[in-house]
């Protein structure tokens, strides 16, 4: 199971995330620090899925506690947009999550990430973008 994690570096420490990576056993957690969770954009989220992530998590500040005012709200809106795109193309919902982190709430965030990974594990496998398509499904150029 491969999970891509975008997190607000103002609210969560990379050292705690590396500890979490060790707790996941055979699962892979790729973490990407951002100056604000609101800096994550739809193309980044989609690219994470295109490059093999089974799920994507954004760790944001609590909505009313974001130092950049609307960063957390932007993260929620962008994750919702990607979820609707995934449903539209047939991968289904449930591969995106936004987890809000209170200052000092790293343990709670780690537990929620583990729960998200279990949720994604229960979803039907998505078709990877690197799969060669042959026959009538081949894209027309």
């Amino acid at each position: 199971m491969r999970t891509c994690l975008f997190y607000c570096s103002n609210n969560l420490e990379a050292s705690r995330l590396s500890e979490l990576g060790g707790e996941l056993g055979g699962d892979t957690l790729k973490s990407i620090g951002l100056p604000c969770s609101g800096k994550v954009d739809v193309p980044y989220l989609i690219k994470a899925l295109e490059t093999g992530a089974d799920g994507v998590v954004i760790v944001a500040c609590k909505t009313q506690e974001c130092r950049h005012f609307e960063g957390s709200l932007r993260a929620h809106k962008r994750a919702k947009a990607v979820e609707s795109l995934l449903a539209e193309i047939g991968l289904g919902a449930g591969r995106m999550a936004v987890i809000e982190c209170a200052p000092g709430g790293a343990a709670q965030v780690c537990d929620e990430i583990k729960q998200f990974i279990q949720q994604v594990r229960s979803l039907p496998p998505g078709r990877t973008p690197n799969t060669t398509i042959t026959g009538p499904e081949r894209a027309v150029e």
Side-chain angles (χ1 to χ4, degrees):
M1 180 69 54
R2 294 177 60 188
T3 306
C4 188
L5 171 72
F6 294 92
Y7 68 96
C8 175
S9 58
N10 290 314
N11 202 13
L12 197 58
E13 296 176 12
S15 61
R16 183 60 183 119
L17 292 174
S18 64
E19 290 173 21
L20 172 64
E23 296 173 14
L24 295 177
D27 294 338
T28 303
L29 180 68
K30 179 180 180 180
S31 58
I32 301 164
L34 301 168
C36 175
S37 60
K39 290 290 186 182
V40 73
D41 210 353
V42 171
Y44 297 134
L45 300 172
I46 293 172
K47 185 70 171 182
L49 294 163
E50 284 179 346
T51 57
D54 298 300
V56 178
V57 178
I58 303 170
V59 178
C61 301
K62 294 282 186 184
T63 303
Q64 300 299 321
E65 297 174 11
C66 180
R67 72 166 57 174
H68 298 286
F69 304 109
E70 294 183 1
S72 183
L73 294 172
R74 287 186 190 112
H76 280 279
K77 287 178 185 177
R78 292 170 182 161
K80 187 175 180 179
V82 171
E83 273 285 287
S84 65
L85 286 172
L86 292 174
E88 190 174 318
I89 64 172
L91 275 176
R95 296 185 187 277
M96 282 289 316
V98 178
I99 299 171
E100 292 188 354
C101 178
Q108 168 254 336
V109 168
C110 292
D111 289 341
E112 288 188 45
I113 291 170
K114 289 177 190 175
Q115 290 171 6
F116 172 74
I117 290 171
Q118 290 303 323
Q119 171 192 324
V120 172
R121 185 172 276 128
S122 68
L123 295 173
R127 195 158 109 188
T128 59
N130 296 331
T131 303
T132 303
I133 300 173
T134 59
E137 291 182 349
R138 185 176 38 212
V140 177
E141 294 180 27

